[in-house]
Amino acid sequence: MTEGSRVFGGAALAALYLLDTGAGELRLAETEGGPSARFGLAPGYAPAGPSPVAEAWRAGRPLWLDAAGVAARRDTATEEPSVGVSLGALPLGGDGGSLGCLVVADEVAEGFDDERRAVLEMYAEHVGERLAVDGTPRARRVFGRGADGVRLGRFTLTLSSGRVDADPTLLDLMGLSADDFDSRVETMIARTVPEDLPALTSMVEPPTSASGSRELEFRTRRPNGELRWLHLRCRLLSDEAGRPERVLGVVADASHLRPSANDVSRVQRLSATLATAVTVHDVSEVAVAALRELGADRVALAGWEADRLLVRALDPPEPAAWPETWRSQWPDTPVFPPTSAVGAPLLPTLRAALREGRMSLWPAGADLERELTGVGPGGLAVVPLPADGQAAGVCLVGWEEPHEFGPEERFLLSAAARLVGQALVRARAFDAQHELAAMLQRSLLPRTLPRLPGGVAVARYLPATVGLDVGGDWYDVIQLTDRHVALVIGDVQGHSAAAATIMGQIRTAIRAYAVEGHSPDVVVSHANRLLVGMETDLFATCCYVAMDMEEGGTWFVRAGHLPPLLRDPDGGTHEVEVEGGPPLGIVADADFPMTTVGLAPGTVLTLVTDGLVESSTLHLEDGLRRVRDIMSATDPSDAARLADALIGGADRRDDDVALLLLRYDGTRVRPRRASWALWRLPDAVSHARRFTERTLRAWDVAAGSDLALLVVSELVTNAMVHTQGQVRLDLTLAGDHLRIAVSDSSPRTPVKPTSVDWEATGGRGLLLIEAVTASWGAVPLSGGKQVWGEIDLGELHPSSA
């Protein structure tokens, strides 16, 4: 046989056997190449018979035989003897090869090599797809080279050199002439329309992690301006070491899948909608809604996360609309579809679709896994979502009643899969970066707020939902003394890592200046000079509030920030008129005036950043008015609920939102205080104990006096032994709580030992304090620190004294 008479893939013969249900036979419908009898092929085969054709048809997978294998399996009753002939039987159709078989033969004894097998299997897939779309041909030719025939071109790409070997049909399909082709992959795909070029490039130049078979429908623009649809199937072959070596591709004319204007419009609408979808949840909801327009009864979409397929969207969302196997884990299905255990292997149908990257369409009555059969008893489409040469996820589209898949649906499903796959990858990157940014932001903000005497502080922070960069909003609550507290809120200009870095430095600096004992205006002035000295282009706004929780006296300093908002005990609201100064970081010697306001018990103080009260659709005045209206209408007895109400309308945010709220309750019982400056004498601890005894006796405190003396002894001893300079003892009685604090000049925080040897004569002081007090801690003060312990006298019986 001459080379010119060979069929696609270099075979000497191609024979098409189709199932004739009336005759109950796989009947020869068409051949190309030499006569079928010459290769020992019969006009027909019984589906249940022992022939290679029937065996491959029943198994639904290719069967390859060398000359010895053909001879051993020859049906002597129906087949002519053949010598030195190798054969391949390739089932056609998506459902177990139900349409028939394509048989290829060649006069080689050693059989078809791996490359020829791959090419011919892809050829059979194209033929089966054409048969499924056009129906079983009787008068039309599949192998014909005219309008009815399946036009196929092939190429081989060597990855190491980038050289492409393409046959003439491939060049013609791609709109190239043999004279213009220079064997470069860039030239081969040069006429691809720009929208399809990224996906095609990832197919012909796959990443090193890619494997197996992949397929893609794409468009080329011919020299005369005609738009042509093509269908590519390709396989990646590896060398002996498992490294990718060559890409084999088969391209078919997909004009039979050319969409109508309405189909193109639907794809364009989906593309436009996906462009506005930011998160994985958004993309999944858009995709599911678009696929439901095909008339499907159920659509489920899942994406990869940590080597598992997680459900992202289900439509309809009601549990009753899904099979029992899905409802058993509703609504938090961990894997896709539900299985008996997390981490269980994927269902074979899903695994095959994801591995091959190929959409599979299953008619009513198909033999599928139980979890899938209930999704589409009348028809099921298993649609991988390709992106960058891999599957970003998978979608199930199911019909309840018997459903036939037409060319339009195939086009829409394929086009939608590509769009959704790319959108999922983009959205997953957005979610990951946004979560990283939010985690960075949270790490720079206080994890908890201190418990305040005479009030409750609540904070809320929400990152922006538009954009990826971390913002510069911050807040802080600083316990200055047992009766004084500072509240700070601020916003660094911009959204970037630099803004977050500046925010962290400014917040830390303000806290350090505050605990040193500086007045509010000095704290803000120091922070301003610090930011100016950083030589950054960024600036920050800030509002600093210092408050006496016993008397209600409050000092406000504002640096270019929004005014504080107050809710009076009678429910009225107003802005605090604070003169303020410029933002931090602009003028080194700027003045920051201080405004004093007295707050009555029952007052609510609210500090916000501009993300809550201003946006592209909300004017600043309207936003501040909205916050005041909510403050007035909401019961302040639950401060957390009030804070939630204030941020409740900020679902889609162009900017970060920070909120700091303080409900000032006042102190029902005025605390009683006493202080003693200790001299550094050998009996200083005895003096401290006698002072404590006199004070507690004057305050009529009997319960807990022994514990109080023990705490005083340990705290004073530690200060005298481990520090230099002045030591002061402070006693505060507020209701049933006795606070004992010792201040010294050392900034070093005491460290509780992890273990103490039983023979040691010291080192147990902090362990004893922790054991006998309700709480204890250390706070920095100007030039040193204060170590304190608090005893809950209400839990003690007077007899314990």
Side-chain angles (χ1 to χ4, degrees), residues 2 15 30 155 208 226 244 260 278 299 336 340 363 406 430 458 497 508 524 530 607 618-619 628 631 759 765 775 798:
T2 64
E30 186 179 348
F155 69 87
T208 56
E226 175 191 355
S260 64
V278 178
V299 179
F336 183 75
S340 58
F430 176 92
V458 177
T508 302
V524 176
L530 175 67
L607 305 175
L618 181 65
H619 293 295
R628 289 175 52 188
M631 291 175 62
E759 295 180 341
S775 59

Side-chain angles (χ1 to χ4, degrees), residues 524 528 539-542 557-561 579-593:
V524 176
N528 175 59
F539 62 85
T541 65
C542 172
V557 177
R558 188 164 63 92
H561 201 78
E579 181 180 351
L584 306 178
I586 296 180
V587 181
D589 296 327
D591 291 328
F592 297 95

Side-chain angles (χ1 to χ4, degrees), residues 577-657:
E577 296 183 2
V578 180
E579 181 180 351
L584 306 178
I586 296 180
V587 181
D589 296 327
D591 291 328
F592 297 95
M594 187 163 55
T595 302
T596 304
V597 177
L599 302 186
T603 301
V604 176
L605 169 65
T606 302
L607 305 175
V608 301
T609 57
D610 57 355
L612 181 62
V613 295
E614 187 178 26
S615 69
S616 58
T617 59
L618 181 65
H619 293 295
L620 177 60
E621 294 77 8
D622 297 334
L624 289 172
R625 188 181 306 111
R626 170 190 166 274
V627 172
R628 289 175 52 188
D629 291 343
I630 295 176
M631 291 175 62
S632 179
T634 307
D635 184 2
S637 60
D638 188 341
R641 181 181 177 187
L642 174 56
D644 292 337
L646 289 172
I647 65 170
D651 295 329
R652 184 171 180 83
R653 302 174 295 278
D654 301 328
D655 196 0
D656 294 358
V657 171

Side-chain angles (χ1 to χ4, degrees), residues 8 41 79-80 85 93 130 134 156 160 187 195 204 229 290 293 323 362 365 441 473 477 490 544 731 779 796-797:
F8 187 87
L41 297 179
E79 298 177 330
E80 298 293 331
V85 172
R130 184 62 180 270
D134 292 344
T156 302
S160 60
T187 305
E195 294 86 349
V204 299
W229 280 88
E293 293 181 2
W362 301 88
Q441 181 84 37
D473 291 19
V477 178
Y544 183 98
L731 302 177
V779 294
L796 302 176
H797 192 274

